[in-house]
Amino acid sequence: MEAVLYVSHGSRIAAARHEAARFVEQCRRVIDIPIQELCFVELAEPDIVTGVDRCVAQGATRVIVVPLLLLSAGHAKHDIPAALDIARRRHPSVDILCGAPFGVHEAMIDIMIDRISEQSAPLDGESMILLVGRGSSDPDTKRDMSAIAALLKEKTNVPHVDVCFLAAIRPTLDEGLERAHASAYRRVFVVPYLLFTGVLMKTIERKLQGFSVSDKEWHLCSYLGDHPRLVLLIQQQVLSLSSVKKGA
């Protein structure tokens, strides 16, 4: 029997955990697999090994692990594989397959465009986008965010897309906001490249308040959230992994 184990980042903020649970519930509705569980990399329970345990306890002989992560950094490369190694030793007869983060994908660009379009102001030649990433010490993070920014610029025809990060990489959020403030653009669309709410989203909101009194229009867009395109990407990944033969 198959199971799907969704692995979210985790957060100390209850609203973020609830959003992850609501997103998984949407995925459950379109994925025809009897066992579907949610777990977290950190900061929340259950952890990944416990998530596998719960699937096996319900009769799962194959667990399809789906990382609810935007980019392939430390969690995807190290933390999740390490936890799954423990789970495999505990359940040697269970086939455990792991998918990939969303990565640099056109659907992610379309979601950001949808979030920008929710603002009342036009995205035009007097506008720029400040793309705010989580940040990571993994060098692939900066490369991937640069690729995402380039695709966003190409698809929106906006004159300029800048990138900053909330942790571990420069330019920092403060530096990104200062550069946007010093720019010639009249409107700045701040786009958080975050999946759910949490401490980092609140940090962006707080920092942006310091720029509210200026000659610019600042528009804070929503984080990506439980967008239907994300549900479709998850559905496609689960179907692909489900078709993999055991031992392949």
Side-chain angles (χ1 to χ4, degrees):
M1 185 183 297
E2 284 188 323
V4 180
L5 179 62
Y6 303 92
V7 183
S8 185
H9 183 280
S11 174
R12 295 184 182 89
I13 293 182
R17 301 193 298 272
H18 294 157
E19 286 181 0
R22 286 197 299 271
F23 177 70
V24 166
E25 187 56 40
Q26 290 187 46
C27 295
R28 285 193 181 109
R29 295 191 189 109
V30 299
I31 295 173
D32 187 22
I33 289 179
I35 304 167
Q36 299 190 49
E37 293 286 338
L38 170 65
C39 66
F40 301 92
V41 176
E42 60 182 5
L43 305 176
E45 296 293 337
D47 62 19
I48 296 169
V49 176
T50 303
V52 175
D53 289 345
R54 290 184 177 183
C55 293
V56 174
Q58 295 174 68
T61 56
R62 166 178 276 198
V63 179
I64 297 170
V65 179
V66 178
L68 301 181
L69 302 174
L70 293 172
L71 300 174
S72 183
H75 289 320
K77 293 180 179 179
H78 306 295
D79 299 333
I80 294 176
L84 294 182
D85 283 344
I86 296 171
R88 288 186 179 100
R89 291 195 293 271
R90 289 172 67 158
H91 307 287
S93 63
V94 176
D95 189 23
I96 300 176
L97 304 177
C98 189
F102 294 111
V104 182
H105 196 290
E106 186 176 357
M108 311 307 289
I109 311 304
D110 291 336
I111 293 169
M112 285 188 287
I113 292 172
D114 285 348
R115 295 307 183 215
I116 292 169
S117 69
E118 293 169 354
Q119 301 296 311
S120 57
L123 184 65
D124 56 17
E126 295 185 280
S127 307
M128 67 164 284
I129 295 171
L130 179 61
L131 185 59
V132 184
R134 177 182 290 273
S136 167
S137 57
D138 189 302
D140 289 347
T141 298
K142 194 164 189 176
R143 179 202 66 193
D144 289 346
M145 286 298 293
S146 295
I148 289 166
L151 289 171
L152 184 59
K153 183 177 187 298
E154 179 182 349
K155 202 154 191 178
T156 59
N157 290 318
V158 71
H160 182 57
V161 177
D162 201 3
V163 180
C164 63
F165 299 91
L166 289 152
I169 314 176
R170 295 188 68 179
T172 65
L173 174 60
D174 286 337
E175 291 168 337
L177 290 171
E178 288 289 353
R179 293 198 311 203
H181 182 257
S183 74
Y185 298 102
R186 178 183 173 190
R187 281 178 287 275
V188 181
F189 290 83
V190 180
V191 180
Y193 202 67
L194 303 171
L195 196 51
F196 303 120
T197 191
V199 172
L200 298 180
M201 187 64 194
K202 293 184 179 300
T203 298
I204 298 172
E205 292 170 352
R206 185 177 67 254
K207 295 282 188 180
L208 197 54
Q209 286 176 355
F211 291 86
S212 59
V213 181
S214 72
D215 58 349
K216 291 193 184 302
E217 295 179 20
W218 296 88
H219 300 278
L220 177 57
C221 303
S222 176
Y223 45 91
L224 303 178
D226 56 351
H227 196 284
R229 293 181 191 273
L230 288 177
V231 176
L232 179 59
L233 287 181
I234 294 294
Q235 182 185 32
Q236 291 170 343
Q237 183 170 149
V238 170
L239 288 173
S240 177
L241 290 171
S242 182
S243 66
V244 174
K245 294 182 180 179
K246 186 171 183 178

